Amino acid sequence: TDLSKIRNFSIIAHIDHGKSTLADRLIEFCGAIEARDMKAQLLDNMDIERERGITIKAQTVRLNYNAKDGETYQLNLMDTPGHVDFAYEVSRSLAACEGSLLVVDASQGVEAQTLANVYQALDANHEIVPVLNKVDLPAADVDRVKTQIEDVIGLDASDAVEISAKTGLNIEGVLEAIVARLPSPKGDREAPLQALIVDSWYDAYLGVIILVRVFNGELKLGQKVRFMATGATRELDRVGIFTPKKVAVDRLGPGEMGFVTAAIKDIRDTKVGDTITEERRLAEKPLAGFKPSIPVVFCGLFPADAADFEHLRDSLGKLALNDASFQYETESSAALGFGFRCGFLGLLHLEIIQERLEREFDLDLITTAPSVVYKMFMTDGTVLEMHNPADMPDVVKIDHIEEPWIKATIMLPDEYLGGVLALCTERRGIQVDLTYVGGRAMLVYELPLNEVVFDFYDRLKSISRGYASFDYHLEGYREGDLVKMSILVNAEPVDALSMIVHRSQAEYRGRQLCERLKDLIPRHLFKIPIQAAIGAKVIARETIAALRKDVLAKCYGGDISRKRKLLDKQKEGKKRMRQFGEVEIPQSAFIAALKMG
Ligand code: GTP
């Protein structure tokens, strides 16, 4: 196709502002699918995504649009995830396009993720077309939101496209704006092949599918290609596009997007951001790739039933096939037995993986407290990266510890400002900026990530009654006065409950955890002390009183079936107990204790 007739674009938006609905309408309008074939939200493949309404994997669709100028344009739509945990996936989708539609809910206005995504699009040199969605809602305030876009983002919003993705109002206006206002791609068909790997995933039938954007040259069926980063060579056995159905084509030229397969079994062989070139005529250098996504939050995942360990290993392996940013390795804990230490891009990523394991693989899991990656500067000059509080070296060998800090943007109605400022201060935050735009406050804070992974987001939502939006990026490492807090039950340390905390927070967190455990651990025939300690120093303590009555005593005289039921229930409970010295701790106690908040 003639380059001037191609437009590559992505849709960026805050969660729930209508990105997927608009994508569906664009697909429908261009007649790529019959309306009756439309499932709700075509671009979201996974069930969990559909239920949670979060787009995880970037996807692309080719549309043919007959524009009012009489020409037919090839529009390649890249879907992008909206959530902060997947910022990296956003950046790589953006690198494959020349422009973005910025969707803003006209009844809500600019939110934290709107901003974060716009900055990324500007970084990628995108032309941006603002789209005001949900104008059908009575609460829509087009003028206010236009002013906001101009004041907060600095984009000209005078010719923003006003639409309702839900009713289908003015979808053609969006398509015309794409053609008229977004640039066409550049590229040279005669030059040596350079195609960027935008994404890759494992498909049970086709093996690894590679999503590509061709910059120069052509990708052809049967072509022998080389992956420049790994040096591997392969023959392409499929070249195609998504409409969104997979459709075979014989070639992809400059400016085009599509997919290829080459009998590859392991997605780790197809590094996202790598350049594909032709074996016979190698490109001089690779395209600028992406920064790799690095897990920032770690936690232990243990099977509730030890017999499920192998099943858990298998399941993790399957998930990792489609998620190169998810990491895991075996870990053993005195408290929880054998399990895995897992690395995630953020808390949402953690939750999604955990949920998929429980739902798709029918696993019952115990998750330990999430932890960030600390840098330990040792007295002998070495630096250790620590992913697990259990690995904390002897304190006398540590010179100092550094922890990751983030820069967070929070947008909220100003009546909740007081509460949110207090929360940020409590979490050791440093205020960088505070501005007001149209009745809303925009707050910029530096915060230790360690204070955010606990329950920051939940607290923020409850303080602001759900009206605050939040986005962050990593800033770097800073020294902190951090200590390891251990929890002892009946004088036995419970490794799964130990955590790294700031010294100033240790007592509060210790007390909170001890109080909670006191209610969660059932009484035994003896008194059980529960303590939080830093080294040998106890900083908080609770005691569980001894148990007196036999639980069966109540049933004397009662009918036998009731008694049996009770015994069965106890047996069932037993399976889910963990033994610590003489104390049995139910699995539910771990789960509840680890859910800080
Ligand atoms: P994520 O995938 O979670 O990022 O959300 P999204 O931005 O893709 O939003 P989505 O398209 O799922 O829409 C969110 C909600 O807004 C859905 O309940 C839609 O039905 C609704 N919605 C989308 N567009 C409109 C619109 O124009 N008007 C109204 N009234 N509702 C809309």
Side-chain angles (χ1 to χ4, degrees):
T1 311
D2 175 0
L3 283 171
S4 70
K5 299 290 172 331
I6 300 177
R7 299 289 182 276
N8 296 315
F9 68 102
S10 45
I11 307 179
I12 55 181
H14 188 76
I15 281 181
D16 276 350
H17 281 201
K19 178 165 52 83
S20 306
T21 311
L22 174 58
D24 289 354
R25 285 288 168 275
L26 295 174
I27 294 170
E28 208 178 44
F29 193 97
C30 293
I33 341 179
E34 301 278 315
R36 69 187 141 77
D37 276 354
M38 290 278 288
K39 260 185 282 164
Q41 317 230 320
L42 269 175
L43 288 177
D44 290 346
N45 262 341
M46 283 183 264
D47 280 349
I48 290 187
E49 283 191 52
R50 192 159 307 149
E51 260 172 53
R52 295 180 151 231
I54 301 163
T55 316
I56 303 167
K57 275 270 163 226
Q59 294 225 15
T60 170
V61 178
R62 181 188 290 190
L63 310 170
N64 290 314
Y65 173 56
N66 301 317
K68 287 186 174 156
D69 64 7
E71 302 282 352
T72 300
Y73 290 84
Q74 177 195 121
L75 310 182
N76 293 301
L77 158 59
M78 274 301 301
D79 196 19
T80 58
H83 193 275
V84 47
D85 280 7
F86 304 100
Y88 160 76
E89 296 199 355
V90 177
S91 81
R92 69 196 204 197
S93 320
L94 297 182
C97 308
E98 284 78 26
S100 291
L101 301 179
L102 169 66
V103 176
V104 181
D105 181 333
S107 69
Q108 301 284 329
V110 173
E111 295 287 354
Q113 279 146 25
T114 319
L115 270 180
N117 286 329
V118 168
Y119 293 146
Q120 283 196 316
L122 292 172
D123 271 352
N125 291 320
H126 274 198
E127 203 59 53
I128 299 175
V129 173
V131 174
L132 300 184
N133 189 30
K134 309 199 188 182
V135 300
D136 60 295
L137 290 177
D141 186 344
V142 168
D143 292 333
R144 184 181 70 87
V145 174
K146 278 188 181 174
T147 312
Q148 233 191 3
I149 291 176
E150 296 188 341
D151 290 354
V152 183
I153 307 180
L155 276 179
D156 178 6
S158 57
D159 48 3
V161 189
E162 296 165 28
I163 68 161
S164 167
K166 190 171 174 178
T167 66
L169 174 77
N170 203 18
I171 298 304
E172 195 171 13
V174 177
L175 290 160
E176 285 296 316
I178 291 168
V179 167
R181 289 157 65 183
L182 297 184
S184 55
K186 296 188 177 66
D188 180 357
R189 193 176 296 272
E190 309 307 324
L193 173 67
Q194 284 176 305
L196 187 67
I197 302 186
V198 180
D199 199 1
S200 65
W201 62 92
Y202 183 78
D203 179 283
Y205 300 102
L206 304 180
V208 174
I209 298 181
I210 306 169
L211 185 64
V212 288
R213 155 73 201 263
V214 179
F215 281 82
N216 291 303
E218 283 184 328
L219 273 172
K220 282 172 275 199
L221 192 65
Q223 193 178 30
K224 196 136 180 232
V225 296
R226 177 191 289 235
F227 297 84
M228 293 185 85
T230 60
T233 58
R234 300 279 171 161
E235 199 175 292
L236 298 183
D237 54 21
R238 253 182 221 92
V239 178
I241 56 168
F242 295 101
T243 67
K245 288 193 186 106
K246 291 189 204 77
V247 173
V249 296
D250 54 343
R251 62 190 62 212
L252 290 171
E256 296 190 316
M257 291 191 207
F259 70 88
V260 295
T261 64
I264 301 169
K265 287 278 172 315
D266 190 340
I267 49 163
R268 277 163 293 199
D269 294 339
T270 55
K271 277 185 46 186
V272 166
D274 192 6
T275 301
I276 301 178
T277 188
E278 195 177 0
E279 181 64 7
R280 278 189 312 140
R281 201 158 70 107
L282 298 175
E284 253 171 58
K285 54 179 182 33
L287 300 159
F290 319 106
K291 280 181 265 147
S293 60
I294 301 162
V296 291
V297 175
F298 285 77
C299 77
L301 290 181
F302 294 85
D305 183 347
D308 278 341
F309 176 77
E310 284 304 329
H311 178 36
L312 176 57
R313 183 207 294 278
D314 265 11
S315 313
L316 292 173
K318 286 195 181 118
L319 286 187
L321 275 179
N322 271 325
D323 188 346
S325 45
F326 166 57
Q327 293 184 356
Y328 64 100
E329 55 184 48
T330 49
E331 174 184 10
S332 74
S333 148
L336 304 173
F338 288 101
F340 296 88
R341 192 79 194 161
C342 304
F344 307 91
L345 299 175
L347 284 179
L348 180 74
H349 191 208
L350 186 163
E351 252 179 67
I352 288 172
I353 297 267
Q354 191 184 338
E355 207 169 299
R356 291 189 62 190
L357 286 169
E358 292 184 345
R359 232 201 292 193
E360 292 169 32
F361 298 95
D362 199 21
L363 280 157
D364 219 339
L365 296 173
I366 301 177
T367 313
T368 64
S371 165
V372 301
V373 179
Y374 296 96
K375 288 188 180 159
M376 304 285 184
F377 291 78
M378 310 301 286
T379 49
D380 67 4
T382 54
V383 183
L384 304 176
E385 282 202 352
M386 191 180 70
H387 297 169
N388 189 346
D391 300 337
M392 176 96 160
D394 190 349
V395 280
V396 299
K397 293 189 183 147
I398 302 173
D399 182 68
H400 67 279
I401 305 177
E402 288 186 358
E403 62 180 327
W405 279 65
I406 59 167
K407 187 178 263 178
T409 305
I410 303 168
M411 306 203 58
L412 70 164
D414 44 15
E415 68 237 61
Y416 305 114
L417 190 60
V420 172
L421 288 173
L423 173 66
C424 291
T425 308
E426 176 197 314
R427 300 303 170 90
R428 299 192 278 137
I430 300 170
Q431 191 178 317
V432 180
D433 199 14
L434 171 59
T435 44
Y436 293 91
V437 201
R440 285 173 75 79
M442 184 171 109
L443 196 55
V444 181
Y445 254 90
E446 290 174 348
L447 286 154
L449 182 60
N450 154 321
E451 303 285 345
V452 173
V453 297
F454 277 113
D455 57 351
F456 184 85
Y457 196 56
D458 291 344
R459 289 282 309 281
L460 180 69
K461 284 281 172 200
S462 78
I463 291 171
S464 68
R465 293 168 191 259
Y467 284 115
S469 62
F470 170 73
D471 204 279
Y472 69 85
H473 61 265
L474 281 178
E475 279 274 285
Y477 275 77
R478 292 184 201 169
E479 187 172 343
D481 188 7
L482 300 157
V483 292
K484 174 177 169 179
M485 181 174 77
S486 325
I487 299 293
L488 297 96
V489 174
N490 205 22
E492 298 263 346
V494 180
D495 56 358
L497 295 176
S498 65
M499 60 177 81
I500 306 288
V501 290
H502 194 259
R503 198 181 297 275
S504 66
Q505 311 268 354
E507 201 183 313
Y508 163 74
R509 288 217 191 280
R511 204 167 330 113
Q512 204 184 23
L513 204 51
C514 288
E515 276 168 19
R516 192 163 306 167
L517 285 169
K518 182 187 171 198
D519 296 335
L520 293 168
I521 298 177
R523 288 178 170 202
H524 283 56
L525 293 167
F526 44 89
K527 234 178 19 190
I528 305 172
I530 300 172
Q531 298 161 308
I534 299 172
K537 189 170 158 242
V538 173
I539 54 169
R541 181 193 164 110
E542 293 283 339
T543 306
I544 302 174
L547 181 74
R548 285 193 222 105
K549 275 198 205 110
D550 185 331
V551 59
L552 286 183
K554 280 189 247 140
C555 296
Y556 278 135
D559 70 295
I560 184 77
S561 73
R562 198 168 133 224
K563 208 181 282 185
R564 177 160 303 131
K565 240 188 229 155
L566 206 55
L567 282 169
D568 283 351
K569 230 171 157 182
Q570 279 187 334
K571 222 161 72 198
E572 175 68 20
K574 270 259 165 20
K575 278 204 309 208
R576 313 208 158 210
M577 293 278 189
R578 299 278 166 177
Q579 190 81 31
F580 292 88
E582 291 174 55
V583 179
E584 281 180 336
I585 306 182
Q587 177 211 328
S588 58
F590 281 105
I591 293 173
L594 291 168
K595 271 211 174 113
M596 303 290 296

